[in-house]
Amino acid sequence: MSGILPADWDLPSGLRAITTICSASQGQSGYGDFNLAAHVGDDLRGVEYNRKLLLQQCDGLAGVQWLEQVHGTHVHFVDKVITEAPVADAAIGSAAGIACAVLTADCLPVLFCSSSGSQIAAAHAGWRGLLGGVLLNTVKAFADEPFALHAWFGPCIRQAHFEVGAEVREKFLSSFVGPSASDIEAAFETSASSGRYLCDLAALAALQLRALGVQNVIDSGLCSYDDPRFYSYRRENPCGRTATLIYRQP
């Protein structure tokens, strides 16, 4: 069954955060019945229908700012919805009724808000964007100091299924901002495959946010690979994309 799943997050009054769910495992293809991405080869008429359905299912949501995600670090400031998706991997805004959103299929979606609820943000953190500083840039984009921010992690591929090469581990050890070398090492376990590692993407993100001063970090624990309600690129390719979004209700 497709629809929306509210974030298990104690939000400031007037904010709403959700992630979408689908029945991809029951569909005729990996696109399932609630794909929100227009770039994955799915029927664009179906994608547009799903996006309209999303608006109908979310009280007070007038529009969603979709992004052209490139595993980069740019943060787009949202004051109105732009039809042509801006190239960015994070969005921040304050306008009521307009959602900041990211699309994922194993990468980590991170939602943010200030303690007052005046600003909201969403970031797409695959390992490349995380290493490059997409979360760092998102935190810096807030008017509030990091200690006044709250973050929530949506469904992503979890460590048991996320195998990476030794070069990925070395890149984090040499250039990941924030965590200590020992903490970074602890987020990588030796895989049964020789010379490869199991990477805890969510742990790395949490370590960096806390090092930056964001102490209020909640992880849903949801696994995109294990849970058929979410799309997973490593489980099935091609596939659709799950939307994770946050907005201020009017």
Side-chain angles (χ1 to χ4, degrees), residues 4 16 18 20 52-62 64 245 247 249:
I4 58 176
R16 192 174 187 200
I18 63 105
T20 59
K52 290 179 180 178
L53 185 60
L54 175 64
L55 295 180
Q56 294 171 10
Q57 293 182 348
C58 297
D59 294 338
L61 182 59
V64 178
L245 56 96
Y247 65 100
Q249 293 179 305

Side-chain angles (χ1 to χ4, degrees), residues 119-170:
Q119 278 189 301
I120 56 172
H124 163 242
W127 75 260
R128 291 176 180 83
L130 178 62
L131 178 63
V134 68
L135 298 187
L136 173 65
N137 289 350
T138 305
V139 170
K140 287 182 176 179
F142 274 86
D144 289 38
E145 294 297 320
F147 68 83
L149 303 183
H150 300 252
W152 182 82
F153 295 174
C156 72
I157 192 167
R158 298 293 166 167
Q159 186 173 24
H161 307 292
F162 190 30
E163 190 174 80
V164 299
E167 73 282 359
V168 174
R169 177 177 177 272
E170 290 306 314

Side-chain angles (χ1 to χ4, degrees), residues 65-77 82-91 124:
Q65 181 57 69
W66 303 108
L67 304 174
E68 182 183 341
Q69 299 167 193
V70 294
H71 296 279
T73 63
H74 179 64
V75 181
H76 174 72
F77 283 80
I82 301 174
T83 302
E84 185 175 351
V87 178
D89 282 85
H124 163 242

